[in-house]
Amino acid sequence: MTVEGKSLLRHRNFVLLWAGQTVSEVGSQVSVLALPLVAVVVLGASAWQVGLLSAAGTCAYLLVALPAGAVVDRVRKRPLMLGCNLGLLAVMGSVPVAHALGVLTLGQLYAVEFVDGVLSVFFVVAYQSLLPHLLRDEQLMDGNGKLAASQSGAQIAGPGLGAGLVSAFGAAAAVLADAASFAVSALTLAGIRTKEPEPVKAAGGPSLRAQIAEGLRHVLRDPILRNSVAFNGTANFFVVMVETLGPVFLIRTRHVDPGLVGLLLALGAVGGVAGGAAAKALSRRVGSARISWIAMTVLALPGLLIPLAGSGPRAVLYGVGWSAWTFSAVVTGISLTSYRQATCPPGMIGRVSAAARWITWGTLPLGGLAGGALASVLGVRATLWIAVVGGCSSGLWLFFSPLRRMRDIPLGAVPVGA
């Protein structure tokens, strides 16, 4: 099989994984719009309470990402992913049911977000660990590019679909689409036929704590991985502030209709689709190492337009700024993720992926809480200015790293500390 894009379209197992992820991502993006709207519109949540809701969904990353990696390395990935999908189906389905019965509360939303976060951590670590078993190293850039493009495409289709569902049935009922998407993802996973390597056995081997520490050491000793997780952690801290406060800013400060907020967010996500489609060509022309820091230090600068959005036609500035961020982040993320997957020692992909994500995801609840707290003191618009300036500065981690002296990111074994 060649490594051209068309070959992966004939790769049955990858296509099933890709299709299931695409549907699931669309459903999740519906909830990204619908759940804050349930809190704001249905339950009258304040900016601080919306920040708490964001933190409830992301604190699981800080709490369980490290043990999730060690667990994923010890079990078969596909059954674990199936179990996570079925759990997510039940959890997200509880929201429209509780609303229909008139018993929905902010407490339930916090619980739903937390459990969703825990199961999502295990699922994502497992699926990124499964991908190298489906594809060869030289196919990872293409495979990650397709998955990233689908994720960004979901950020277009999901909010747009969510906006329509919110307008037609209400925010709580719209969450049902997310629940249904997990059922579809489970069905596609059940159709994958691949023999996974024998998982690491706990008996007679290193303890769970020792395995976790091994994954962390690998990330922190590798200069490319170390700087990439610092970049991602910094970017996520500020980006989640924008994601948390965006609906509050648009609805309460700029008086944008809730049904149009999803369409505006969908417009912003166009950049992610473009980034996923352009990443391979940009990597070839500019170099995968060069484009990673150029994207996040130059191409992301229009993100500064986000707080300048106003009512009426000026609302489009929010979408333009968000689009620049998603384009830049996707281009950079494809290269950095492919590097981590291709250079990871055998049997450690789950722990290394989880260690990297523990650092990069661990800043998400902190960003959500910081956004809610700062907005309560400084106002929503001033907090957005802090967030976009910080986000546009995060690429400096990549600029001041070994990537600046390379044309391409190595996708083979490299000496640690080189």
Side-chain angles (χ1 to χ4, degrees), residues 47-184:
W48 169 245
Q49 289 171 322
V50 174
L52 287 177
L53 184 64
S54 172
T58 54
C59 67
Y61 304 155
L62 189 60
L63 297 176
V64 304
L66 284 178
V71 170
V72 166
D73 280 340
R74 294 182 175 198
V75 302
R76 298 197 182 278
K77 283 65 175 170
R78 199 164 60 91
L80 176 61
M81 294 163 67
L82 279 167
C84 290
N85 270 328
L86 294 177
L88 288 164
L89 166 63
V91 169
M92 300 309 296
S94 72
V95 173
V97 171
H99 181 260
L101 296 175
V103 295
L104 183 64
T105 64
L106 273 174
Q108 180 179 344
L109 287 189
Y110 293 148
V112 166
E113 282 279 43
F114 178 74
V115 175
D116 173 75
V118 170
L119 294 177
S120 296
V121 166
F122 278 92
F123 183 92
V124 172
V125 172
Y127 114 74
Q128 289 207 334
S129 302
L130 179 65
L131 190 63
H133 298 319
L134 300 181
L135 305 179
R136 299 195 303 271
D137 287 351
E138 63 269 22
Q139 294 175 308
L140 287 174
M141 283 284 288
D142 195 12
N144 282 315
K146 286 179 168 54
L147 289 166
S150 290
Q151 183 179 23
S152 298
Q155 291 174 337
I156 295 176
L161 175 62
L165 292 173
V166 167
S167 297
F169 305 107
V175 180
L176 190 61
D178 190 12
S181 75
F182 292 118
V184 175

